[in-house]
Amino acid sequence: MLLDSYDTEDLFDEMFDGGREVRPHYQLLRERLDTMSREELDQKIKNLETLFIRQGITFTVYGDQRGTERVFPFDPIPRIIPADEWQIIEDGLVQRITALNLFLYDVYHERKILRDKVIPEEVVLSAAHYRPEFVDVDVPRDIYIHICGTDLIRDRDGSYLVLEDNGRCPSGVSYVLENRMAMKRVFPNLFGSAGVRSVDSYAADLLGTLQYIAPHAKPDPVCVLLTPGHYNSAYFEHSFLARQMGIEIVEGRDLIVVDGYVYMRTTRGLLQVDVIYRRIDDDFLDPKVFRKDSMLGVPGLVEAVQRGNVALANAIGTGVADDKVTYAYVEKMIKYYLDQDPILKQVPTFLAWDEKDRGYILDHLPELVVKAANESGGYGMLIGPKASKEEIEKFRQLIIANPRNYIAQPVVYFSRHPTLTDGTVEGRHVDLRPFVLSGERTHILPGGLTRVALKKGSIVVNSSQGGGSKDTWVLHPPRK
Amino acid sequence: MLSRVADNLYWMARSIERAENLARLMQASTELLLDSETLGSRYLNDYWDPILIATAMEEHFRELYPNGTAADVGPFVTLNEENPHSITMCLRDARESARTVRDQISDEMWTELNDLFLFITSRATNSLFQRAPQNVYDRIIQGSLLFHGITDATLARTEGWQFIQLGKYLERADKTSRFLDIRVHGGPDGTSLDSIQWTSILRSASAFGTYRIEVGGEPTAEGVIDLLVFSMDFPRSIRFCVREIDHLLHRISGSPAGTYCNTAEREAGRLLATLNFNGNGEILERGLHDYMDDVQKVLNTIGQSIFETYVLLPQDQLRLTFIPSSEQQQLRWQVLQQQQQQQ
Amino acid sequence: MKLRAHHRTEYLYSQPARSNSNEIRLQPPHTPWQSRSFWLLKVLPATPLRHYVDLHRNGVHHFEIGEPHSRLVIDATSTVITLNRYADGEPAGIPFSALETCREDAEVTLYQKDSRYVRIDPAIWRAAIDVKGESDDVYLTAKAIGEHLYDTCRYVSGITTVNTTSTEFFQNRHGVCQDFTHLMLAMCRAMDIPARYVSGYLYDHRRGSLRGAHQSHAWVEVHLPGHGWFGLDPTNRRPVDDHYVTLASGRDYDDASPVKGSFMGSGSRVMNVTVSVEEL
């Protein structure tokens, strides 16, 4: 049977406990897997991949002239999270996102947290994604991050830690929804009996969030999704979400700003747009204000936002909150704005701009993970224990040259999860990206993207670098 | 609906219809050739040249195959990715257009189009083409028909549907007129074509069966023109297509039939009236080639006007000066204009 | 019962307000029949929050917004698990003589006296005597007082204000839960029954059948020697079971009010409050 020879190698495993017994919430899955042969499973995967290719559930690989599309590698053994664990995640994320939104409001208004010296002013004002253009600009409902994807990992004792917040344009939610559809085909009978919570309400909740932030609480606002275009790697997701929400998917060239209002070009003429769910980074939004060479944006859009005539989700300037240096201060923010202790812990972080921390970092490079403050997708990273001497030296120079741009963390631990490999089922490292929507309420999609590093021993889970994904099952609380 | 979306739906339909028509033309022409095995090689070139001219691929063919022979034509028209007008590239264009408007079409439409694209670009198809080109053409024709059938059965009759139909009928009318014209290049005038060649034209327009039922007997110039130009009932006749175009344009703009509010409507109305009142006599008198040339010009004008009215909005024309045009935008517009010039 | 409550208060100032300082009593306490699994208070404009525990053991959060602002939002979300205090039946059978035992207990005697909005005046005392009649049962007397108010007072909003006293309500008999509660407190205290004001939420599982379910609600708790505090809701003529979420308690509204603040400013002010309670 598939799992008979599975070895946890004494690492924290999602499915098996320290005594190598299957954890109770995985019992049903284990039983189901035991009835399946490797051939049966392989056949199901093959069918699924065909289905994915036929439906175009793909991401585009950059740097390939022909715009090759690949299927996001999908592992059929689902990750299961019991209700009590999920409750902690949900509570912790609501708390965290609330604090981040208050922080952004504060940073772009009175800056109390800086004046009170809870966070050093220079950290915020020097952040690459800080947007002085938005100081004292009110955004609808005072919400900045409407859609957040927060990456979680599990510590050696199994407790969840926040690895990073993605508060700019987090992607991946369509895979959550598609993976679920795929899993229903692999294990059609398991869903009912396992008590898996549905992820179907995401699009409706997202639309509700967008409508909620319409300028001047306008009823029946026109919402659109702004995409960089169909060559973008996440285009599938953009069109998937637009379709699920029943809103237009537009490119920059479909929009035009006239007298401070945004319109889209339709066959009937110009139609005013109230809310833009933008999947374009700040830098490319408006060539009049940010990158002049941007061909994806809409000239005049920033002014329309500043004048309060159109709402953006997420707001401009949220990057200051998911900066990796800011990350080190989120626990202090929670204390400051909410007067609470953080529910979810995070990874201890050394800041290269702090002289004392920098000394420690430079002395311990081979043991640490160094990250550039403003990069995402696993780029600009040094994994000390796996790096060559040259790489370490290169990062030493980079850090000395630009300390503000680097942070270091001890090597974090990623839990492992049984994963189908070529020959058998082996443990692979996983993380978890739940999606948080902040509108009238804060919704957490009961599920999330479990990313898995398909390479043995690797902890790089990014799809651009050899990561795959699993369906994530959040269970209903057990019935009394 | 978004102008860009309307434009993409229109081109999606045009491109797939174009691929289907090319496939049918190649299929009919290859079959015709099988019936004329005794023809000399010079005649072979003469045989394919009009086809390359009618499909606007002659120049490209000479570039890519300076010493090209008849055997190069099939792969060039069908699979060659360096020929921007090959069937493969038409299907790629159709799929790209569809991909940008996936949220506007049904899953089934996308799946069929994507399947067809995956088929045409697969290695297996390449080798199948060497062995049995007819099978490849069959699949393409079937795929296109299936796609239009699925569209009929799964898409709401909204504006998007109307733009899809516009693209389909404009392309179809254009291709029917071109196919009628092809053999003219081969002989001094249309009347000298023999019944085998008329049969081939009918096959190119999938009209052979209908001809036997509706007209009967050996195909003649009069009979073929009556069916492919003037039939009210045959869905690939020019008159049928233009009537649909006229109807669709009025549905889109909301202006009453018989009136017009843009160039496209005016030209479509005019062409329809001409077709309503003319018969094969007028064509044969004027010469098939010249008559078809006029039809194609009007169809071009209609296409251009649709673009100007619904995509390149008049408001934009005033404001274009302050929109820094994106590279993609320029690219797309160039593609559009190129395609239109070739019609 | 697992309940989630969302309580949002928004003030809109026509002229910018300054030095806006507020005390918030919106944190559900842990009690033997209520446990709080989640709680979050969000204030906009963003400002540091602090908290302390007051005399009545309420968790109080406070903040001050110094700079001018034209809008203040106080948004509280809580998730609690409630148990039914009456699961073992009603605590009848305790005679008035038992109240003697709490004479020395300052934490209880506090709730037998007059307070800002609760006045034991002679007319109220007389009315309470009439309701009590010959009964020597503390709980049943309190319950009868509540039922009497439900029967003789009309639930109408817009007639009374936050400052209406029990005496004023006793006279015109039209008011809201706060008034029902104040008058019931006055009548209970007139009979020497220790009674306190409780603010909280009410989950209306039948939607629309209960008063005060979509607002911040209030009710009475009476102290029964040897048994502790039991809630009675005179506005709905109901014992306070697991449909109720307690936020704060005190002698009267003044001690337990959910949001209380002051600011410097001129011009008018609009307050919008929404409360929703759902079962999870």
PDB file of all heavy atoms in Angstrom, chain A residues 17 40 62 66 108 110 118 122 164 189 225 233 251 269 285 287 290 295 306 349 393 395 404 435:
ATOM      1  N   ASP A  17       2.068  11.440  13.553  1.00  0.00           N
ATOM      2  CA  ASP A  17       2.603  12.046  14.766  1.00  0.00           C
ATOM      3  C   ASP A  17       3.980  11.459  15.080  1.00  0.00           C
ATOM      4  O   ASP A  17       4.519  10.645  14.323  1.00  0.00           O
ATOM      5  CB  ASP A  17       1.620  11.895  15.927  1.00  0.00           C
ATOM      6  CG  ASP A  17       1.417  10.435  16.319  1.00  0.00           C
ATOM      7  OD1 ASP A  17       2.248   9.581  15.943  1.00  0.00           O
ATOM      8  OD2 ASP A  17       0.408  10.153  17.002  1.00  0.00           O
ATOM      9  N   GLU A  40      -3.952   3.093  -9.947  1.00  0.00           N
ATOM     10  CA  GLU A  40      -5.235   3.798  -9.946  1.00  0.00           C
ATOM     11  C   GLU A  40      -5.005   5.297  -9.730  1.00  0.00           C
ATOM     12  O   GLU A  40      -5.578   6.148 -10.408  1.00  0.00           O
ATOM     13  CB  GLU A  40      -6.112   3.232  -8.833  1.00  0.00           C
ATOM     14  CG  GLU A  40      -7.561   3.671  -8.921  1.00  0.00           C
ATOM     15  CD  GLU A  40      -8.366   3.207  -7.709  1.00  0.00           C
ATOM     16  OE1 GLU A  40      -7.880   2.331  -6.954  1.00  0.00           O
ATOM     17  OE2 GLU A  40      -9.463   3.737  -7.512  1.00  0.00           O
ATOM     18  N   TYR A  62       7.892  32.604 -17.646  1.00  0.00           N
ATOM     19  CA  TYR A  62       8.567  33.795 -18.167  1.00  0.00           C
ATOM     20  C   TYR A  62       9.842  33.401 -18.891  1.00  0.00           C
ATOM     21  O   TYR A  62      10.454  32.384 -18.611  1.00  0.00           O
ATOM     22  CB  TYR A  62       8.913  34.750 -17.025  1.00  0.00           C
ATOM     23  CG  TYR A  62       7.706  35.454 -16.489  1.00  0.00           C
ATOM     24  CD1 TYR A  62       7.391  35.387 -15.150  1.00  0.00           C
ATOM     25  CD2 TYR A  62       6.876  36.183 -17.334  1.00  0.00           C
ATOM     26  CE1 TYR A  62       6.286  36.025 -14.650  1.00  0.00           C
ATOM     27  CE2 TYR A  62       5.773  36.827 -16.838  1.00  0.00           C
ATOM     28  CZ  TYR A  62       5.474  36.760 -15.505  1.00  0.00           C
ATOM     29  OH  TYR A  62       4.377  37.391 -15.008  1.00  0.00           O
ATOM     30  N   ARG A  66       7.827  31.709 -26.697  1.00  0.00           N
ATOM     31  CA  ARG A  66       6.535  31.282 -27.222  1.00  0.00           C
ATOM     32  C   ARG A  66       5.433  31.309 -26.171  1.00  0.00           C
ATOM     33  O   ARG A  66       4.313  30.895 -26.428  1.00  0.00           O
ATOM     34  CB  ARG A  66       6.651  29.887 -27.826  1.00  0.00           C
ATOM     35  CG  ARG A  66       7.497  29.907 -29.096  1.00  0.00           C
ATOM     36  CD  ARG A  66       7.711  28.527 -29.643  1.00  0.00           C
ATOM     37  NE  ARG A  66       6.457  27.839 -29.899  1.00  0.00           N
ATOM     38  CZ  ARG A  66       6.405  26.547 -30.215  1.00  0.00           C
ATOM     39  NH1 ARG A  66       7.507  25.832 -30.288  1.00  0.00           N
ATOM     40  NH2 ARG A  66       5.259  25.971 -30.439  1.00  0.00           N
ATOM     41  N   TYR A 108       0.010  56.625   6.706  1.00  0.00           N
ATOM     42  CA  TYR A 108      -0.370  57.614   5.697  1.00  0.00           C
ATOM     43  C   TYR A 108      -1.191  58.767   6.298  1.00  0.00           C
ATOM     44  O   TYR A 108      -1.717  59.586   5.562  1.00  0.00           O
ATOM     45  CB  TYR A 108      -1.107  56.949   4.536  1.00  0.00           C
ATOM     46  CG  TYR A 108      -0.175  56.101   3.681  1.00  0.00           C
ATOM     47  CD1 TYR A 108      -0.246  54.713   3.681  1.00  0.00           C
ATOM     48  CD2 TYR A 108       0.815  56.715   2.904  1.00  0.00           C
ATOM     49  CE1 TYR A 108       0.634  53.957   2.911  1.00  0.00           C
ATOM     50  CE2 TYR A 108       1.698  55.958   2.138  1.00  0.00           C
ATOM     51  CZ  TYR A 108       1.596  54.585   2.136  1.00  0.00           C
ATOM     52  OH  TYR A 108       2.471  53.844   1.383  1.00  0.00           O
ATOM     53  N   GLU A 110      -1.539  60.226  10.630  1.00  0.00           N
ATOM     54  CA  GLU A 110      -0.859  60.921  11.733  1.00  0.00           C
ATOM     55  C   GLU A 110       0.504  60.361  12.105  1.00  0.00           C
ATOM     56  O   GLU A 110       1.265  60.995  12.795  1.00  0.00           O
ATOM     57  CB  GLU A 110      -1.757  60.922  12.971  1.00  0.00           C
ATOM     58  CG  GLU A 110      -2.929  61.877  12.863  1.00  0.00           C
ATOM     59  CD  GLU A 110      -4.105  61.257  12.132  1.00  0.00           C
ATOM     60  OE1 GLU A 110      -4.204  60.011  12.109  1.00  0.00           O
ATOM     61  OE2 GLU A 110      -4.905  62.008  11.552  1.00  0.00           O
ATOM     62  N   VAL A 118       7.496  53.434  18.425  1.00  0.00           N
ATOM     63  CA  VAL A 118       7.301  51.986  18.491  1.00  0.00           C
ATOM     64  C   VAL A 118       7.983  51.342  17.284  1.00  0.00           C
ATOM     65  O   VAL A 118       8.556  50.259  17.372  1.00  0.00           O
ATOM     66  CB  VAL A 118       5.793  51.649  18.502  1.00  0.00           C
ATOM     67  CG1 VAL A 118       5.564  50.149  18.494  1.00  0.00           C
ATOM     68  CG2 VAL A 118       5.133  52.285  19.721  1.00  0.00           C
ATOM     69  N   GLU A 122      12.573  55.828  10.227  1.00  0.00           N
ATOM     70  CA  GLU A 122      13.361  55.609   9.014  1.00  0.00           C
ATOM     71  C   GLU A 122      13.000  54.291   8.328  1.00  0.00           C
ATOM     72  O   GLU A 122      13.076  54.175   7.114  1.00  0.00           O
ATOM     73  CB  GLU A 122      14.844  55.649   9.354  1.00  0.00           C
ATOM     74  CG  GLU A 122      15.217  54.597  10.386  1.00  0.00           C
ATOM     75  CD  GLU A 122      16.501  54.949  11.144  1.00  0.00           C
ATOM     76  OE1 GLU A 122      17.572  54.703  10.610  1.00  0.00           O
ATOM     77  OE2 GLU A 122      16.373  55.461  12.270  1.00  0.00           O
ATOM     78  N   GLU A 164       5.501  35.333   6.027  1.00  0.00           N
ATOM     79  CA  GLU A 164       5.407  36.666   5.432  1.00  0.00           C
ATOM     80  C   GLU A 164       3.972  36.990   5.052  1.00  0.00           C
ATOM     81  O   GLU A 164       3.137  36.106   4.884  1.00  0.00           O
ATOM     82  CB  GLU A 164       6.326  36.814   4.216  1.00  0.00           C
ATOM     83  CG  GLU A 164       5.994  35.896   3.058  1.00  0.00           C
ATOM     84  CD  GLU A 164       6.983  36.089   1.898  1.00  0.00           C
ATOM     85  OE1 GLU A 164       8.202  36.132   2.159  1.00  0.00           O
ATOM     86  OE2 GLU A 164       6.521  36.176   0.749  1.00  0.00           O
ATOM     87  N   ASN A 189     -15.913  10.365  -3.099  1.00  0.00           N
ATOM     88  CA  ASN A 189     -16.746   9.914  -1.980  1.00  0.00           C
ATOM     89  C   ASN A 189     -16.252  10.405  -0.633  1.00  0.00           C
ATOM     90  O   ASN A 189     -16.944  10.302   0.364  1.00  0.00           O
ATOM     91  CB  ASN A 189     -16.811   8.389  -1.962  1.00  0.00           C
ATOM     92  CG  ASN A 189     -17.329   7.873  -3.276  1.00  0.00           C
ATOM     93  OD1 ASN A 189     -18.218   8.489  -3.864  1.00  0.00           O
ATOM     94  ND2 ASN A 189     -16.741   6.785  -3.752  1.00  0.00           N
ATOM     95  N   LEU A 225     -11.735  44.028 -12.911  1.00  0.00           N
ATOM     96  CA  LEU A 225     -10.442  43.458 -12.542  1.00  0.00           C
ATOM     97  C   LEU A 225      -9.424  43.925 -13.577  1.00  0.00           C
ATOM     98  O   LEU A 225      -9.608  43.722 -14.774  1.00  0.00           O
ATOM     99  CB  LEU A 225     -10.517  41.934 -12.518  1.00  0.00           C
ATOM    100  CG  LEU A 225      -9.282  41.188 -12.007  1.00  0.00           C
ATOM    101  CD1 LEU A 225      -9.690  39.852 -11.403  1.00  0.00           C
ATOM    102  CD2 LEU A 225      -8.231  40.957 -13.081  1.00  0.00           C
ATOM    103  N   SER A 233       1.797  35.751 -15.982  1.00  0.00           N
ATOM    104  CA  SER A 233       1.786  34.357 -15.518  1.00  0.00           C
ATOM    105  C   SER A 233       0.501  34.009 -14.777  1.00  0.00           C
ATOM    106  O   SER A 233       0.081  32.869 -14.744  1.00  0.00           O
ATOM    107  CB  SER A 233       2.994  34.092 -14.625  1.00  0.00           C
ATOM    108  OG  SER A 233       2.905  34.882 -13.465  1.00  0.00           O
ATOM    109  N   GLU A 251      -7.770  45.513 -19.342  1.00  0.00           N
ATOM    110  CA  GLU A 251      -6.359  45.853 -19.402  1.00  0.00           C
ATOM    111  C   GLU A 251      -6.253  47.369 -19.336  1.00  0.00           C
ATOM    112  O   GLU A 251      -7.247  48.077 -19.523  1.00  0.00           O
ATOM    113  CB  GLU A 251      -5.754  45.323 -20.709  1.00  0.00           C
ATOM    114  CG  GLU A 251      -5.819  43.802 -20.780  1.00  0.00           C
ATOM    115  CD  GLU A 251      -5.281  43.246 -22.096  1.00  0.00           C
ATOM    116  OE1 GLU A 251      -4.563  43.985 -22.801  1.00  0.00           O
ATOM    117  OE2 GLU A 251      -5.580  42.083 -22.400  1.00  0.00           O
ATOM    118  N   GLY A 269     -19.705  53.085 -25.744  1.00  0.00           N
ATOM    119  CA  GLY A 269     -19.111  54.346 -25.332  1.00  0.00           C
ATOM    120  C   GLY A 269     -18.408  54.173 -24.007  1.00  0.00           C
ATOM    121  O   GLY A 269     -18.087  53.047 -23.606  1.00  0.00           O
ATOM    122  N   LEU A 285       1.043  51.153 -12.322  1.00  0.00           N
ATOM    123  CA  LEU A 285      -0.360  51.568 -12.390  1.00  0.00           C
ATOM    124  C   LEU A 285      -0.593  52.802 -13.241  1.00  0.00           C
ATOM    125  O   LEU A 285      -1.593  52.901 -13.926  1.00  0.00           O
ATOM    126  CB  LEU A 285      -0.895  51.847 -10.982  1.00  0.00           C
ATOM    127  CG  LEU A 285      -1.505  50.685 -10.235  1.00  0.00           C
ATOM    128  CD1 LEU A 285      -1.976  51.167  -8.885  1.00  0.00           C
ATOM    129  CD2 LEU A 285      -2.659  50.069 -11.012  1.00  0.00           C
ATOM    130  N   PRO A 287       1.599  55.630 -15.559  1.00  0.00           N
ATOM    131  CA  PRO A 287       2.873  56.138 -16.076  1.00  0.00           C
ATOM    132  C   PRO A 287       3.074  57.621 -15.808  1.00  0.00           C
ATOM    133  O   PRO A 287       4.192  58.107 -15.892  1.00  0.00           O
ATOM    134  CB  PRO A 287       2.784  55.853 -17.582  1.00  0.00           C
ATOM    135  CG  PRO A 287       1.347  55.637 -17.868  1.00  0.00           C
ATOM    136  CD  PRO A 287       0.722  55.131 -16.615  1.00  0.00           C
ATOM    137  N   PHE A 290       4.104  56.907 -11.511  1.00  0.00           N
ATOM    138  CA  PHE A 290       5.129  55.930 -11.168  1.00  0.00           C
ATOM    139  C   PHE A 290       6.003  55.674 -12.394  1.00  0.00           C
ATOM    140  O   PHE A 290       6.416  56.614 -13.040  1.00  0.00           O
ATOM    141  CB  PHE A 290       4.500  54.671 -10.578  1.00  0.00           C
ATOM    142  CG  PHE A 290       3.668  54.960  -9.355  1.00  0.00           C
ATOM    143  CD1 PHE A 290       2.359  54.537  -9.248  1.00  0.00           C
ATOM    144  CD2 PHE A 290       4.200  55.705  -8.297  1.00  0.00           C
ATOM    145  CE1 PHE A 290       1.598  54.817  -8.126  1.00  0.00           C
ATOM    146  CE2 PHE A 290       3.444  55.999  -7.177  1.00  0.00           C
ATOM    147  CZ  PHE A 290       2.139  55.547  -7.095  1.00  0.00           C
ATOM    148  N   MET A 295       3.570  50.273 -19.627  1.00  0.00           N
ATOM    149  CA  MET A 295       2.620  50.219 -20.729  1.00  0.00           C
ATOM    150  C   MET A 295       1.361  49.499 -20.297  1.00  0.00           C
ATOM    151  O   MET A 295       0.456  49.286 -21.076  1.00  0.00           O
ATOM    152  CB  MET A 295       3.257  49.488 -21.897  1.00  0.00           C
ATOM    153  CG  MET A 295       4.460  50.262 -22.404  1.00  0.00           C
ATOM    154  SD  MET A 295       5.295  49.413 -23.721  1.00  0.00           S
ATOM    155  CE  MET A 295       5.837  47.954 -22.917  1.00  0.00           C
ATOM    156  N   GLN A 306      -6.672  59.645  -5.854  1.00  0.00           N
ATOM    157  CA  GLN A 306      -6.465  60.690  -4.846  1.00  0.00           C
ATOM    158  C   GLN A 306      -7.705  61.562  -4.691  1.00  0.00           C
ATOM    159  O   GLN A 306      -8.019  62.011  -3.602  1.00  0.00           O
ATOM    160  CB  GLN A 306      -5.271  61.570  -5.246  1.00  0.00           C
ATOM    161  CG  GLN A 306      -3.939  60.870  -5.014  1.00  0.00           C
ATOM    162  CD  GLN A 306      -2.780  61.590  -5.669  1.00  0.00           C
ATOM    163  OE1 GLN A 306      -2.951  62.285  -6.668  1.00  0.00           O
ATOM    164  NE2 GLN A 306      -1.588  61.435  -5.104  1.00  0.00           N
ATOM    165  N   THR A 349      13.561  37.857  13.640  1.00  0.00           N
ATOM    166  CA  THR A 349      14.128  38.525  12.471  1.00  0.00           C
ATOM    167  C   THR A 349      15.214  39.514  12.890  1.00  0.00           C
ATOM    168  O   THR A 349      15.013  40.316  13.802  1.00  0.00           O
ATOM    169  CB  THR A 349      13.013  39.271  11.722  1.00  0.00           C
ATOM    170  OG1 THR A 349      12.007  38.316  11.359  1.00  0.00           O
ATOM    171  CG2 THR A 349      13.533  39.939  10.466  1.00  0.00           C
ATOM    172  N   GLU A 393      29.830  35.378   0.459  1.00  0.00           N
ATOM    173  CA  GLU A 393      30.607  36.609   0.322  1.00  0.00           C
ATOM    174  C   GLU A 393      29.830  37.661  -0.461  1.00  0.00           C
ATOM    175  O   GLU A 393      29.830  38.834  -0.125  1.00  0.00           O
ATOM    176  CB  GLU A 393      31.960  36.330  -0.364  1.00  0.00           C
ATOM    177  CG  GLU A 393      33.042  35.877   0.607  1.00  0.00           C
ATOM    178  CD  GLU A 393      33.040  36.680   1.917  1.00  0.00           C
ATOM    179  OE1 GLU A 393      33.220  37.922   1.853  1.00  0.00           O
ATOM    180  OE2 GLU A 393      32.831  36.071   2.988  1.00  0.00           O
ATOM    181  N   PHE A 395      26.628  38.021  -0.664  1.00  0.00           N
ATOM    182  CA  PHE A 395      25.585  38.610   0.177  1.00  0.00           C
ATOM    183  C   PHE A 395      26.192  39.515   1.257  1.00  0.00           C
ATOM    184  O   PHE A 395      25.598  40.516   1.628  1.00  0.00           O
ATOM    185  CB  PHE A 395      24.707  37.514   0.792  1.00  0.00           C
ATOM    186  CG  PHE A 395      23.461  37.280  -0.024  1.00  0.00           C
ATOM    187  CD1 PHE A 395      23.501  36.492  -1.161  1.00  0.00           C
ATOM    188  CD2 PHE A 395      22.251  37.887   0.313  1.00  0.00           C
ATOM    189  CE1 PHE A 395      22.365  36.297  -1.944  1.00  0.00           C
ATOM    190  CE2 PHE A 395      21.113  37.703  -0.457  1.00  0.00           C
ATOM    191  CZ  PHE A 395      21.174  36.903  -1.588  1.00  0.00           C
ATOM    192  N   ARG A 404      19.613  48.502   4.627  1.00  0.00           N
ATOM    193  CA  ARG A 404      18.162  48.639   4.763  1.00  0.00           C
ATOM    194  C   ARG A 404      17.420  47.561   3.986  1.00  0.00           C
ATOM    195  O   ARG A 404      16.309  47.190   4.305  1.00  0.00           O
ATOM    196  CB  ARG A 404      17.732  50.021   4.265  1.00  0.00           C
ATOM    197  CG  ARG A 404      16.243  50.217   4.049  1.00  0.00           C
ATOM    198  CD  ARG A 404      15.458  50.066   5.347  1.00  0.00           C
ATOM    199  NE  ARG A 404      14.021  50.221   5.149  1.00  0.00           N
ATOM    200  CZ  ARG A 404      13.212  49.279   4.703  1.00  0.00           C
ATOM    201  NH1 ARG A 404      13.691  48.095   4.384  1.00  0.00           N
ATOM    202  NH2 ARG A 404      11.923  49.519   4.595  1.00  0.00           N
ATOM    203  N   PHE A 435      -6.060  32.921   2.449  1.00  0.00           N
ATOM    204  CA  PHE A 435      -6.428  34.197   1.839  1.00  0.00           C
ATOM    205  C   PHE A 435      -7.431  34.925   2.721  1.00  0.00           C
ATOM    206  O   PHE A 435      -8.418  34.347   3.170  1.00  0.00           O
ATOM    207  CB  PHE A 435      -6.985  33.967   0.442  1.00  0.00           C
ATOM    208  CG  PHE A 435      -5.920  33.508  -0.515  1.00  0.00           C
ATOM    209  CD1 PHE A 435      -5.628  32.169  -0.654  1.00  0.00           C
ATOM    210  CD2 PHE A 435      -5.166  34.432  -1.211  1.00  0.00           C
ATOM    211  CE1 PHE A 435      -4.616  31.749  -1.498  1.00  0.00           C
ATOM    212  CE2 PHE A 435      -4.150  34.019  -2.061  1.00  0.00           C
ATOM    213  CZ  PHE A 435      -3.872  32.674  -2.205  1.00  0.00           C
TER     214      PHE A 435
END
